[in-house]
Amino acid sequence: MCGILFSLSTVDKPIDKAEWDTLKELNNRRGPDAQQLVAIQIQNKHDLQFYSTVLHLRGLETVSQPLRNTTGDILCWNGEIFSGLEIKPHENDTLVLMDRLNKATTEEDTLAVFSMIEGPYAFVYWKAQLKKIYFGRDCLGRRSLLWNYGADKPFMLSSVSKSSEGMEWAEVPANGIYCIDISHSSADSILPVIADCSVQFIPWVQQEEKTSHSLILPFPRLNSTLPTDLQPVIDVNVVPEIDDCMHTTLQQFISVLDESVKNRLADIPYLSSKNEARVAILFSGGLDCITLAALAHKHLPISEPIDLLNVAFENPRVVEAKTQSKLKKTNKKKKKSSEETAVEEKPVIKSIPVSMYDTPDRLTGRAGVEELRQIAPDRTWNFVEIDVPYTEAVEYRQQIIDRMYPLDTVMDLSIAMAFWFASRGKGHIMVNEQMQTYDSHARVLISGLGADEQLGGYSRHKEAFRKGGWEQLINETQLDVDRISTRNLGRDDRIMSDHGKEVRFPFLGTKVVAWLCQQPIELKMDLRYERGIGEKLLLRHAARQLGLHKASHNWKRAIQFGAKTAKMTGQNRAEKGQHKLV
């Protein structure tokens, strides 16, 4: 994982040095292992600056960026190549990519290389022979890239930024690859002409929409075949039996998802002891993350711990509500007659104290780790209880707002705060029945994001099925898949990489997405059944196959409610998630 910073400027539209230095420092947090600047001038007019920072996660040695070859090409690469291009064990994927790009002599060949890659990425690439700058994000938008542009200012790209006067940053859309032609300007530029250069756009499209100036998406549209001859539901509260068709589909699904997990765990370097966790799971104990944890167990040495990061917040609003509830109960008792209270005293039974950090995610997390220990007793599962006092949340609030920028809603902050503290990894673990402080140094984080969108995990899927049956459910699921690239993966990348860590999404491996798109809707979800059974039906069956019988009944709970970051201050009860921060 890396940080990318790029500028295209001219004498009359120079870079603000203070702004540039601020952006360098922010990107340094993403890549603590190496930093480097390459600057060139084209035609005595255009100044190009390429700055990269590196978090070493692939290969035997840290490879500094930007890379520059003998023909003058320059590459800033923030991504992982899990397949598509052959990467041998202990080989650095950035070097392999640069070699392939060096062999591409035309624009079509260059674009073909990027379209082959299976994995998350954002990049900036200067092709000297063509005098063109290519930049963009993968088709699902799993890595952050922001831009700042205007006819009267220099053009800039950065993995991360912060709000500042006169600098309006926005996320580069993950809908294609963009190209700046240094050699000439054109009237059909999709952006304001930058330093007398035009900006062209090569979109991601479906196979049937392919043109000479487009990239083919690595997954099709959803299988739109409506179910027929379904067995009637006898009891909506009973898990349906696995017939031959479901059995075959289930085995294929486990295989495809397992391969995605395996690829995301391969070749992670040991940075210290081989007995220290290299991988951490963002762990609520929910269905998605616990399934990934069980699969990760298969692909890591048994002597190596796996960290399960579970975050909980002290939320004054929740504490106040509990206090008020206790007061009401006390007042009711006081109303009893003196005769009732004069009865012989009974022995006091001490109740087990309930911690303010016993949030819903903490409770399901504890249950989940116990189930993992049952199916994999020889593995050390570090259940990291990350407790965040209200004062600490307030202390880091502005820093978190800066990292999630340009997103700026109440809901963004609630989610970003949970991810920022979880990925930091500072908490406690139980050792010999004693809680000890623990810092997770795992640089690779595994997230279950993507399962709900593809497998009917949201309440809107249930509502679509209620209103319009299978057809409307298919349409709603297609909308969710289409929107993945425009949602919040860039924000999540900016938040978690602030600690020099990289998040990976096995459910969003494009091979997983492609396979799920091809399956009939009724094999992925059956919303005739009750909550905890029908939604994400295929994944629930997979969890049971892995021995996770209790977790297979867990249902969707948004992290801001599970960790209790929603409406932490309680100052404005009418405040909604979509409201802008003030």
Side-chain angles (χ1 to χ4, degrees), residues 207-416:
Q207 174 70 50
E208 59 271 19
E209 302 166 341
K210 170 69 175 170
T211 68
S212 59
H213 201 67
S214 62
L215 301 159
I216 299 176
L217 283 165
F219 47 85
R221 294 184 64 78
L222 259 66
N223 183 334
S224 59
T225 304
L226 296 176
T228 58
D229 301 326
L230 289 175
Q231 293 294 321
V233 175
I234 306 300
D235 188 338
V236 296
N237 294 298
V238 175
V239 176
E241 293 184 5
I242 298 176
D243 59 18
D244 290 343
C245 183
M246 175 60 86
H247 176 76
T248 300
T249 304
L250 176 58
Q251 300 311 309
Q252 291 176 357
F253 174 57
I254 293 174
S255 176
V256 170
L257 183 60
D258 183 63
E259 185 69 17
S260 183
V261 172
K262 177 183 177 182
N263 289 341
R264 281 154 180 78
L265 301 182
D267 208 24
I268 301 170
Y270 292 95
L271 298 177
S272 54
S273 167
K274 287 195 174 184
N275 293 322
E276 189 173 22
R278 292 177 295 160
V279 174
I281 315 287
L282 297 172
F283 192 77
S284 65
L287 175 65
D288 312 338
C289 61
I290 197 171
T291 302
L292 296 180
L295 292 174
H297 163 69
K298 297 169 57 179
H299 303 294
L300 292 170
I302 195 63
S303 60
E304 186 175 317
I306 296 177
D307 289 346
L308 307 174
L309 306 179
N310 182 277
V311 65
F313 287 77
E314 175 194 1
N315 188 321
R317 182 178 61 86
V318 175
V319 173
E320 180 187 359
K322 288 182 177 179
T323 302
Q324 292 299 323
S325 177
K326 288 180 180 179
L327 284 173
K328 287 180 181 178
K329 290 180 180 179
T330 301
N331 290 334
K332 284 183 180 180
K333 289 180 181 179
K334 287 181 178 179
K335 290 180 181 179
K336 289 184 177 182
S337 67
S338 58
E339 292 157 357
E340 291 175 312
T341 57
V343 177
E344 182 182 351
E345 290 188 5
K346 295 180 180 179
V348 176
I349 301 174
K350 293 183 179 180
S351 60
I352 300 173
V354 177
S355 167
M356 71 177 72
Y357 298 112
D358 283 345
T359 61
D361 279 1
R362 176 61 49 83
L363 299 179
T364 55
R366 286 174 182 156
V369 70
E370 288 308 312
E371 195 161 22
L372 286 171
R373 286 168 178 160
Q374 288 173 15
I375 67 169
D378 295 332
R379 168 78 61 189
T380 297
W381 299 96
N382 289 328
F383 183 67
V384 187
E385 298 191 14
I386 300 167
D387 298 337
V388 185
Y390 177 68
T391 53
E392 190 174 17
V394 171
E395 178 185 354
Y396 288 100
R397 181 178 186 271
Q398 188 57 51
Q399 181 175 336
I400 295 168
I401 290 173
D402 289 341
R403 295 304 173 272
M404 74 185 198
Y405 175 81
L407 276 65
D408 59 356
T409 69
V410 171
M411 182 178 291
D412 286 318
L413 179 58
S414 294
I415 297 171

Side-chain angles (χ1 to χ4, degrees), residues 40 42 67-75 98-105 125-131:
I40 60 174
I42 306 299
L67 293 182
R68 188 175 188 179
N69 63 17
T70 55
T71 61
D73 298 346
I74 300 171
L75 174 65
M98 189 60 164
D99 181 62
R100 290 295 296 268
L101 290 171
N102 186 42
K103 295 173 181 176
T105 57
Y125 176 57
W126 163 248
K127 188 72 172 175
Q129 179 185 353
L130 303 177
K131 288 187 170 54

Side-chain angles (χ1 to χ4, degrees), residues 137-162:
R137 302 162 67 195
D138 70 83
C139 62
L140 292 173
R142 290 165 287 183
R143 291 290 174 264
S144 172
L145 191 63
L146 309 175
W147 59 10
N148 183 281
Y149 61 86
D152 59 345
K153 63 172 74 171
F155 178 77
M156 298 184 72
L157 295 165
S158 182
S159 296
V160 61
S161 182
K162 64 184 295 186

